[in-house]
mmCIF file of all heavy atoms in Angstrom:
data_model
loop_
_atom_site.group_PDB
_atom_site.id
_atom_site.type_symbol
_atom_site.label_atom_id
_atom_site.label_comp_id
_atom_site.label_asym_id
_atom_site.label_seq_id
_atom_site.Cartn_x
_atom_site.Cartn_y
_atom_site.Cartn_z
ATOM 1 N N ASP A 188 207.492 132.726 312.602
ATOM 2 C CA ASP A 188 206.619 133.648 313.340
ATOM 3 C C ASP A 188 206.219 133.075 314.695
ATOM 4 O O ASP A 188 206.166 133.783 315.689
ATOM 5 C CB ASP A 188 205.356 133.933 312.524
ATOM 6 C CG ASP A 188 205.600 134.910 311.396
ATOM 7 O OD1 ASP A 188 206.282 135.928 311.627
ATOM 8 O OD2 ASP A 188 205.112 134.649 310.282
ATOM 9 N N ASP A 189 205.902 131.788 314.710
ATOM 10 C CA ASP A 189 205.361 131.149 315.912
ATOM 11 C C ASP A 189 206.438 130.278 316.544
ATOM 12 O O ASP A 189 206.586 129.096 316.219
ATOM 13 C CB ASP A 189 204.135 130.314 315.526
ATOM 14 C CG ASP A 189 203.399 129.763 316.743
ATOM 15 O OD1 ASP A 189 203.953 129.829 317.859
ATOM 16 O OD2 ASP A 189 202.281 129.257 316.562
ATOM 17 N N LEU A 190 207.185 130.852 317.467
ATOM 18 C CA LEU A 190 208.273 130.109 318.101
ATOM 19 C C LEU A 190 207.756 129.066 319.088
ATOM 20 O O LEU A 190 208.434 128.068 319.349
ATOM 21 C CB LEU A 190 209.223 131.082 318.796
ATOM 22 C CG LEU A 190 210.023 131.994 317.865
ATOM 23 C CD1 LEU A 190 210.854 132.986 318.671
ATOM 24 C CD2 LEU A 190 210.930 131.194 316.929
ATOM 25 N N ILE A 191 206.576 129.276 319.627
ATOM 26 C CA ILE A 191 206.003 128.274 320.538
ATOM 27 C C ILE A 191 205.717 126.989 319.775
ATOM 28 O O ILE A 191 205.965 125.882 320.275
ATOM 29 C CB ILE A 191 204.731 128.821 321.207
ATOM 30 C CG1 ILE A 191 205.082 129.974 322.147
ATOM 31 C CG2 ILE A 191 204.015 127.707 321.976
ATOM 32 C CD1 ILE A 191 203.888 130.636 322.796
ATOM 33 N N ALA A 192 205.214 127.116 318.549
ATOM 34 C CA ALA A 192 204.971 125.924 317.727
ATOM 35 C C ALA A 192 206.279 125.210 317.415
ATOM 36 O O ALA A 192 206.333 123.964 317.403
ATOM 37 C CB ALA A 192 204.256 126.322 316.443
ATOM 38 N N ILE A 193 207.338 125.975 317.174
ATOM 39 C CA ILE A 193 208.652 125.375 316.937
ATOM 40 C C ILE A 193 209.130 124.633 318.176
ATOM 41 O O ILE A 193 209.585 123.479 318.102
ATOM 42 C CB ILE A 193 209.678 126.462 316.538
ATOM 43 C CG1 ILE A 193 209.295 127.120 315.210
ATOM 44 C CG2 ILE A 193 211.087 125.889 316.486
ATOM 45 C CD1 ILE A 193 209.401 126.228 314.010
ATOM 46 N N GLU A 194 209.014 125.270 319.321
ATOM 47 C CA GLU A 194 209.450 124.644 320.578
ATOM 48 C C GLU A 194 208.694 123.352 320.843
ATOM 49 O O GLU A 194 209.291 122.323 321.202
ATOM 50 C CB GLU A 194 209.234 125.623 321.730
ATOM 51 C CG GLU A 194 209.622 125.048 323.089
ATOM 52 C CD GLU A 194 209.237 125.970 324.243
ATOM 53 O OE1 GLU A 194 208.774 127.093 323.989
ATOM 54 O OE2 GLU A 194 209.403 125.538 325.402
ATOM 55 N N ASP A 195 207.384 123.381 320.655
ATOM 56 C CA ASP A 195 206.571 122.189 320.926
ATOM 57 C C ASP A 195 206.911 121.053 319.960
ATOM 58 O O ASP A 195 207.077 119.901 320.373
ATOM 59 C CB ASP A 195 205.086 122.536 320.815
ATOM 60 C CG ASP A 195 204.605 123.425 321.957
ATOM 61 O OD1 ASP A 195 205.333 123.542 322.965
ATOM 62 O OD2 ASP A 195 203.511 124.013 321.818
ATOM 63 N N ALA A 196 207.025 121.383 318.666
ATOM 64 C CA ALA A 196 207.251 120.345 317.666
ATOM 65 C C ALA A 196 208.619 119.696 317.832
ATOM 66 O O ALA A 196 208.745 118.459 317.877
ATOM 67 C CB ALA A 196 207.113 120.937 316.262
ATOM 68 N N TYR A 197 209.646 120.513 317.958
ATOM 69 C CA TYR A 197 210.996 119.964 318.045
ATOM 70 C C TYR A 197 211.292 119.413 319.442
ATOM 71 O O TYR A 197 212.142 118.533 319.596
ATOM 72 C CB TYR A 197 212.021 121.011 317.621
ATOM 73 C CG TYR A 197 211.991 121.261 316.128
ATOM 74 C CD1 TYR A 197 211.112 122.181 315.572
ATOM 75 C CD2 TYR A 197 212.825 120.553 315.276
ATOM 76 C CE1 TYR A 197 211.063 122.403 314.195
ATOM 77 C CE2 TYR A 197 212.794 120.764 313.896
ATOM 78 C CZ TYR A 197 211.899 121.688 313.368
ATOM 79 O OH TYR A 197 211.847 121.893 312.011
ATOM 80 N N GLY A 198 210.578 119.916 320.443
ATOM 81 C CA GLY A 198 210.723 119.371 321.789
ATOM 82 C C GLY A 198 210.296 117.921 321.871
ATOM 83 O O GLY A 198 210.829 117.148 322.679
ATOM 84 N N ALA A 199 209.340 117.522 321.035
ATOM 85 C CA ALA A 199 208.890 116.134 321.025
ATOM 86 C C ALA A 199 209.970 115.196 320.511
ATOM 87 O O ALA A 199 209.937 113.990 320.784
ATOM 88 C CB ALA A 199 207.639 116.012 320.158
ATOM 89 N N ILE A 200 210.942 115.747 319.793
ATOM 90 C CA ILE A 200 212.021 114.931 319.244
ATOM 91 C C ILE A 200 213.302 115.074 320.064
ATOM 92 O O ILE A 200 213.968 114.094 320.390
ATOM 93 C CB ILE A 200 212.310 115.348 317.788
ATOM 94 C CG1 ILE A 200 211.040 115.225 316.951
ATOM 95 C CG2 ILE A 200 213.448 114.520 317.185
ATOM 96 C CD1 ILE A 200 211.112 115.961 315.633
ATOM 97 N N PHE A 201 213.622 116.318 320.432
ATOM 98 C CA PHE A 201 214.923 116.605 321.034
ATOM 99 C C PHE A 201 214.871 116.858 322.542
ATOM 100 O O PHE A 201 215.928 116.982 323.169
ATOM 101 C CB PHE A 201 215.562 117.804 320.323
ATOM 102 C CG PHE A 201 215.868 117.556 318.880
ATOM 103 C CD1 PHE A 201 215.012 117.998 317.892
ATOM 104 C CD2 PHE A 201 216.994 116.843 318.505
ATOM 105 C CE1 PHE A 201 215.281 117.768 316.557
ATOM 106 C CE2 PHE A 201 217.269 116.592 317.177
ATOM 107 C CZ PHE A 201 216.407 117.056 316.195
ATOM 108 N N ASP A 202 213.681 116.993 323.111
ATOM 109 C CA ASP A 202 213.502 117.101 324.554
ATOM 110 C C ASP A 202 214.356 118.228 325.133
ATOM 111 O O ASP A 202 214.231 119.373 324.729
ATOM 112 C CB ASP A 202 213.819 115.751 325.207
ATOM 113 C CG ASP A 202 213.253 115.643 326.625
ATOM 114 O OD1 ASP A 202 212.331 116.409 326.950
ATOM 115 O OD2 ASP A 202 213.739 114.810 327.398
ATOM 116 N N GLU A 203 215.275 117.914 326.050
ATOM 117 C CA GLU A 203 216.030 118.957 326.748
ATOM 118 C C GLU A 203 217.064 119.639 325.853
ATOM 119 O O GLU A 203 217.670 120.639 326.256
ATOM 120 C CB GLU A 203 216.730 118.386 327.993
ATOM 121 C CG GLU A 203 217.934 117.493 327.727
ATOM 122 C CD GLU A 203 217.555 116.067 327.372
ATOM 123 O OE1 GLU A 203 216.334 115.752 327.402
ATOM 124 O OE2 GLU A 203 218.472 115.274 327.059
ATOM 125 N N ARG A 204 217.272 119.130 324.651
ATOM 126 C CA ARG A 204 218.183 119.796 323.725
ATOM 127 C C ARG A 204 217.566 121.054 323.105
ATOM 128 O O ARG A 204 218.256 121.833 322.452
ATOM 129 C CB ARG A 204 218.613 118.826 322.613
ATOM 130 C CG ARG A 204 219.593 117.762 323.088
ATOM 131 C CD ARG A 204 220.033 116.863 321.953
ATOM 132 N NE ARG A 204 219.101 115.768 321.736
ATOM 133 C CZ ARG A 204 219.220 114.864 320.758
ATOM 134 N NH1 ARG A 204 220.233 114.941 319.908
ATOM 135 N NH2 ARG A 204 218.342 113.892 320.625
ATOM 136 N N VAL A 205 216.267 121.250 323.308
ATOM 137 C CA VAL A 205 215.572 122.444 322.818
ATOM 138 C C VAL A 205 215.608 123.522 323.890
ATOM 139 O O VAL A 205 215.198 123.289 325.037
ATOM 140 C CB VAL A 205 214.119 122.120 322.437
ATOM 141 C CG1 VAL A 205 213.363 123.376 322.045
ATOM 142 C CG2 VAL A 205 214.095 121.105 321.301
ATOM 143 N N ARG A 206 216.101 124.718 323.521
ATOM 144 C CA ARG A 206 216.218 125.819 324.486
ATOM 145 C C ARG A 206 215.472 127.044 323.947
ATOM 146 O O ARG A 206 215.948 127.697 323.008
ATOM 147 C CB ARG A 206 217.692 126.148 324.739
ATOM 148 C CG ARG A 206 218.479 124.979 325.331
ATOM 149 C CD ARG A 206 219.885 125.409 325.739
ATOM 150 N NE ARG A 206 220.705 125.737 324.584
ATOM 151 C CZ ARG A 206 221.482 124.875 323.941
ATOM 152 N NH1 ARG A 206 221.523 123.605 324.322
ATOM 153 N NH2 ARG A 206 222.212 125.255 322.901
ATOM 154 N N PRO A 207 214.306 127.351 324.528
ATOM 155 C CA PRO A 207 213.537 128.501 324.056
ATOM 156 C C PRO A 207 213.997 129.810 324.695
ATOM 157 O O PRO A 207 214.525 129.829 325.808
ATOM 158 C CB PRO A 207 212.113 128.159 324.498
ATOM 159 C CG PRO A 207 212.308 127.342 325.747
ATOM 160 C CD PRO A 207 213.586 126.562 325.542
ATOM 161 N N ALA A 208 213.822 130.907 323.969
ATOM 162 C CA ALA A 208 214.055 132.256 324.484
ATOM 163 C C ALA A 208 212.995 133.162 323.867
ATOM 164 O O ALA A 208 212.162 132.718 323.075
ATOM 165 C CB ALA A 208 215.460 132.736 324.149
ATOM 166 N N ALA A 209 213.028 134.434 324.219
ATOM 167 C CA ALA A 209 211.974 135.341 323.784
ATOM 168 C C ALA A 209 211.907 135.468 322.268
ATOM 169 O O ALA A 209 210.819 135.543 321.689
ATOM 170 C CB ALA A 209 212.186 136.716 324.413
ATOM 171 N N ASP A 210 213.065 135.502 321.594
ATOM 172 C CA ASP A 210 213.069 135.759 320.160
ATOM 173 C C ASP A 210 213.706 134.641 319.350
ATOM 174 O O ASP A 210 214.019 134.816 318.178
ATOM 175 C CB ASP A 210 213.790 137.075 319.859
ATOM 176 C CG ASP A 210 215.246 137.063 320.314
ATOM 177 O OD1 ASP A 210 215.686 136.068 320.932
ATOM 178 O OD2 ASP A 210 215.952 138.061 320.048
ATOM 179 N N ARG A 211 213.890 133.460 319.978
ATOM 180 C CA ARG A 211 214.516 132.355 319.259
ATOM 181 C C ARG A 211 214.295 131.035 319.972
ATOM 182 O O ARG A 211 213.985 130.992 321.171
ATOM 183 C CB ARG A 211 216.016 132.605 319.104
ATOM 184 C CG ARG A 211 216.826 132.518 320.406
ATOM 185 C CD ARG A 211 218.183 133.170 320.228
ATOM 186 N NE ARG A 211 218.025 134.585 319.898
ATOM 187 C CZ ARG A 211 218.889 135.280 319.163
ATOM 188 N NH1 ARG A 211 219.968 134.693 318.686
ATOM 189 N NH2 ARG A 211 218.675 136.556 318.915
ATOM 190 N N VAL A 212 214.477 129.965 319.224
ATOM 191 C CA VAL A 212 214.523 128.614 319.782
ATOM 192 C C VAL A 212 215.783 127.959 319.234
ATOM 193 O O VAL A 212 216.002 127.945 318.016
ATOM 194 C CB VAL A 212 213.288 127.781 319.391
ATOM 195 C CG1 VAL A 212 213.451 126.339 319.858
ATOM 196 C CG2 VAL A 212 212.019 128.382 319.976
ATOM 197 N N THR A 213 216.635 127.449 320.109
ATOM 198 C CA THR A 213 217.847 126.767 319.668
ATOM 199 C C THR A 213 217.760 125.286 320.010
ATOM 200 O O THR A 213 217.160 124.898 321.014
ATOM 201 C CB THR A 213 219.108 127.373 320.299
ATOM 202 O OG1 THR A 213 219.006 127.278 321.729
ATOM 203 C CG2 THR A 213 219.262 128.829 319.902
ATOM 204 N N ILE A 214 218.355 124.489 319.149
ATOM 205 C CA ILE A 214 218.358 123.042 319.321
ATOM 206 C C ILE A 214 219.805 122.575 319.247
ATOM 207 O O ILE A 214 220.482 122.787 318.232
ATOM 208 C CB ILE A 214 217.527 122.352 318.224
ATOM 209 C CG1 ILE A 214 216.097 122.892 318.203
ATOM 210 C CG2 ILE A 214 217.525 120.837 318.414
ATOM 211 C CD1 ILE A 214 215.353 122.612 316.911
ATOM 212 N N ALA A 215 220.302 121.971 320.316
ATOM 213 C CA ALA A 215 221.665 121.446 320.323
ATOM 214 C C ALA A 215 221.744 120.248 319.393
ATOM 215 O O ALA A 215 220.899 119.339 319.448
ATOM 216 C CB ALA A 215 222.071 121.052 321.737
ATOM 217 N N ALA A 216 222.752 120.234 318.533
ATOM 218 C CA ALA A 216 222.872 119.180 317.520
ATOM 219 C C ALA A 216 224.316 118.720 317.430
ATOM 220 O O ALA A 216 224.989 118.905 316.414
ATOM 221 C CB ALA A 216 222.379 119.696 316.171
ATOM 222 N N GLY A 217 224.831 118.176 318.510
ATOM 223 C CA GLY A 217 226.227 117.762 318.541
ATOM 224 C C GLY A 217 227.122 118.983 318.590
ATOM 225 O O GLY A 217 226.977 119.841 319.458
ATOM 226 N N ASP A 218 228.052 119.096 317.642
ATOM 227 C CA ASP A 218 228.954 120.242 317.592
ATOM 228 C C ASP A 218 228.320 121.436 316.887
ATOM 229 O O ASP A 218 228.965 122.477 316.730
ATOM 230 C CB ASP A 218 230.252 119.861 316.872
ATOM 231 C CG ASP A 218 231.065 118.857 317.670
ATOM 232 O OD1 ASP A 218 230.949 118.848 318.904
ATOM 233 O OD2 ASP A 218 231.816 118.068 317.049
ATOM 234 N N ALA A 219 227.098 121.287 316.442
ATOM 235 C CA ALA A 219 226.389 122.361 315.756
ATOM 236 C C ALA A 219 225.108 122.685 316.512
ATOM 237 O O ALA A 219 224.792 122.063 317.524
ATOM 238 C CB ALA A 219 226.059 121.946 314.319
#
Side-chain angles (χ1 to χ4, degrees):
D188 283 316
D189 188 348
L190 292 176
I191 293 177
I193 296 292
E194 178 187 354
D195 290 345
Y197 288 86
I200 303 164
F201 296 99
D202 198 20
E203 73 279 356
R204 287 182 275 177
V205 175
R206 299 188 292 269
D210 61 356
R211 70 197 61 209
V212 174
T213 59
I214 304 161
D218 293 332

